Amino acid sequence: LNTLLLSFLLLLLCSFDLSLCATKWSPNAQVSVYLLNSPLFKKQYGDLLRNVNAFHSGIYFKNEDTKEELILDYNGLDVLHAVFPIVNGKSLEVHDEAVVQIHTKLDLTYWDEPILILQSSGQIVNDFLCWAPTYNSTNSRYELFAVWDHTKSRQESLDDPIFSGSSCIDYVWKSIQVLRSLGATVASQYKATHRDLIFFSVDQPPQRIDFSGPEQDRILKFYETFQLGLVKNHTWDEVVDHLMLLFGNDWYTRHDGHYFKIHLSAERAKFVFDYMVFPSPVPLDTLPRANSAECQISGDYGWLWFVGVLMFFGLIVLLVSAPIWIGALGVIMWKVYTKKRRQHTEFSDFQ
């Protein structure tokens, strides 16, 4: 019971501010930053999806001075049904919730060999952890597909999409941009690496539509066709070809909880694995901050750490002393009980 109570308190503390769950590193610590990849759904299917270049990605920090580690990755709680909603009569069930997770030990049975990408400092990592929780609030939905303007190059579209994706690799790419903005430098040993690019290429602006409007049946049919292609183990190109046959260039996508009608260009819907240039740094004042009043660029979390430590030790004292005050309470209750019983007995004798 004590362990459960302690775990519950720590869970509340971590949900209040992700940065409180991480070690605050020495500002002058030397930190190496790595890109992590693992075949998608590795726990279920092993290395199977490596063959089609489908990966889960994360970002890994290694404190070269203390050997401490931090791993952050963005996870859809039900990726399959975030991408392929469940058609249920006249409605769609979309399970697109997603969260940023933080770990303190690298699991090489799950992740491939880390790829060194950046050199950083402890101060930069502390500052980064002020930004990291904000991704949960601004990107709470897992969205696999980006929407790109067909007149732009892939690099231009990645930097300035019509609709950005919100997947694990999108989180890593945004993290790299934030780290570079905070002062991290590209590692001298770094060699260009691949990343997933999953997008709809369109030649017209997306048109927001009402799901319950006149196009409801077409939207349901569209996602039902997606599902059938998945069940029948069709390749991505086969699913795309079948959808093109049924719907032409008029497709549908979800973004930020809304449905949009899109008109595909000749490049259609792509799922590719390509070399891409890192995102450029952005001005620091454009970066959202977690708990902006307390979490400044200096990375000083101030009184939040004090309150967290005070709560932690307060709970420890409470748990350690539990047998004492529970025993004392038991003695008091027993004395009250015996006194009342004695009074009852004396009253009965009097009668």
Side-chain angles (χ1 to χ4, degrees):
L1 179 61
N2 290 352
T3 302
L4 287 174
L5 288 172
L6 179 59
S7 299
F8 180 69
L9 178 64
L10 290 175
L11 180 62
L12 287 177
L13 190 61
C14 290
S15 64
F16 178 67
D17 186 355
L18 179 66
S19 62
L20 294 179
C21 303
T23 302
K24 185 182 177 185
W25 287 349
S26 169
N28 296 322
Q30 292 186 342
V31 181
S32 299
V33 185
Y34 297 81
L35 171 66
L36 295 175
N37 287 309
S38 174
L40 195 61
F41 301 129
K42 182 173 183 177
K43 291 181 179 178
Q44 292 89 345
Y45 305 113
D47 280 355
L48 179 65
L49 292 174
R50 184 191 301 276
N51 300 325
V52 292
N53 293 319
F55 292 92
H56 178 60
S57 299
I59 191 162
Y60 165 47
F61 301 88
K62 183 178 180 182
N63 188 321
E64 301 293 356
D65 297 345
T66 65
K67 306 308 177 186
E68 293 173 283
E69 300 175 323
L70 287 176
I71 300 93
L72 283 83
D73 61 336
Y74 180 74
N75 270 281
L77 302 185
D78 185 356
V79 173
L80 191 62
H81 294 121
V83 180
F84 304 101
I86 301 169
V87 178
N88 186 5
K90 289 290 185 180
S91 65
L92 285 174
E93 292 181 26
V94 185
H95 302 281
D96 57 0
E97 301 84 358
V99 294
V100 176
Q101 298 184 134
I102 187 167
H103 314 271
T104 56
K105 187 66 178 176
L106 182 65
D107 181 4
L108 286 174
T109 64
Y110 176 75
W111 296 107
D112 291 349
E113 188 66 26
I115 301 168
L116 180 63
I117 54 174
L118 300 173
Q119 295 291 352
S120 180
S121 68
Q123 184 64 69
I124 291 172
V125 174
N126 294 337
D127 290 342
F128 171 79
L129 291 174
C130 276
W131 168 83
T134 67
Y135 200 86
N136 275 338
S137 58
T138 57
N139 298 79
S140 61
R141 293 184 173 93
Y142 189 94
E143 295 177 351
L144 183 64
F145 298 102
V147 177
W148 290 0
D149 182 343
H150 80 110
T151 63
K152 295 182 179 180
S153 69
R154 286 183 179 175
Q155 188 65 54
E156 289 173 327
S157 293
L158 184 60
D159 293 339
D160 185 26
I162 297 175
F163 291 155
S164 60
S166 182
S167 66
C168 57
I169 189 61
D170 294 309
Y171 172 72
V172 169
W173 225 245
K174 185 63 178 177
S175 296
I176 293 170
Q177 184 177 44
V178 171
L179 286 164
R180 294 191 68 194
S181 300
L182 292 169
T185 57
V186 178
S188 58
Q189 307 96 311
Y190 172 72
K191 295 181 181 179
T193 188
H194 291 85
R195 66 150 286 175
D196 289 325
L197 299 171
I198 308 165
F199 61 91
F200 295 134
S201 177
V202 300
D203 54 18
Q204 297 175 15
Q207 175 189 351
R208 181 171 166 176
I209 55 176
D210 181 3
F211 174 74
S212 59
E215 298 205 46
Q216 182 183 42
D217 289 341
R218 280 180 60 84
I219 297 173
L220 291 169
K221 182 65 177 178
F222 178 80
Y223 284 108
E224 188 175 45
T225 305
F226 249 137
Q227 280 187 346
L228 290 174
L230 185 69
V231 169
K232 294 179 180 179
N233 293 321
H234 288 166
T235 66
W236 174 251
D237 286 338
E238 287 173 340
V239 172
V240 170
D241 287 340
H242 189 52
L243 284 167
M244 293 292 290
L245 184 65
L246 292 177
F247 296 92
N249 289 64
D250 292 323
W251 281 32
Y252 300 92
T253 190
R254 276 174 54 89
H255 179 72
D256 198 24
H258 303 290
Y259 290 93
F260 291 83
K261 187 175 183 177
I262 56 175
H263 192 268
L264 297 183
S265 69
E267 200 173 9
R268 307 195 308 181
K270 291 292 184 182
F271 194 139
V272 297
F273 200 54
D274 203 358
Y275 287 104
M276 301 302 293
V277 177
F278 278 160
S280 300
V282 296
L284 287 179
D285 59 5
T286 66
L287 296 178
R289 312 291 294 174
N291 301 313
S292 57
E294 300 85 18
C295 189
Q296 303 300 322
I297 291 295
S298 65
D300 183 7
Y301 305 127
W303 64 271
L304 288 175
W305 278 96
F306 175 77
V307 171
V309 171
L310 191 64
M311 290 174 62
F312 177 80
F313 282 105
L315 180 64
I316 292 296
V317 170
L318 183 66
L319 295 178
V320 169
S321 62
I324 298 173
W325 58 260
I326 289 176
L329 182 62
V331 170
I332 293 171
M333 292 179 66
W334 175 254
K335 287 185 175 181
V336 171
Y337 170 76
T338 54
K339 182 178 180 181
K340 287 184 174 295
R341 184 176 179 82
R342 190 183 307 115
Q343 291 174 343
H344 177 74
T345 302
E346 290 173 353
F347 181 77
S348 298
D349 292 341
F350 175 79
Q351 287 181 320

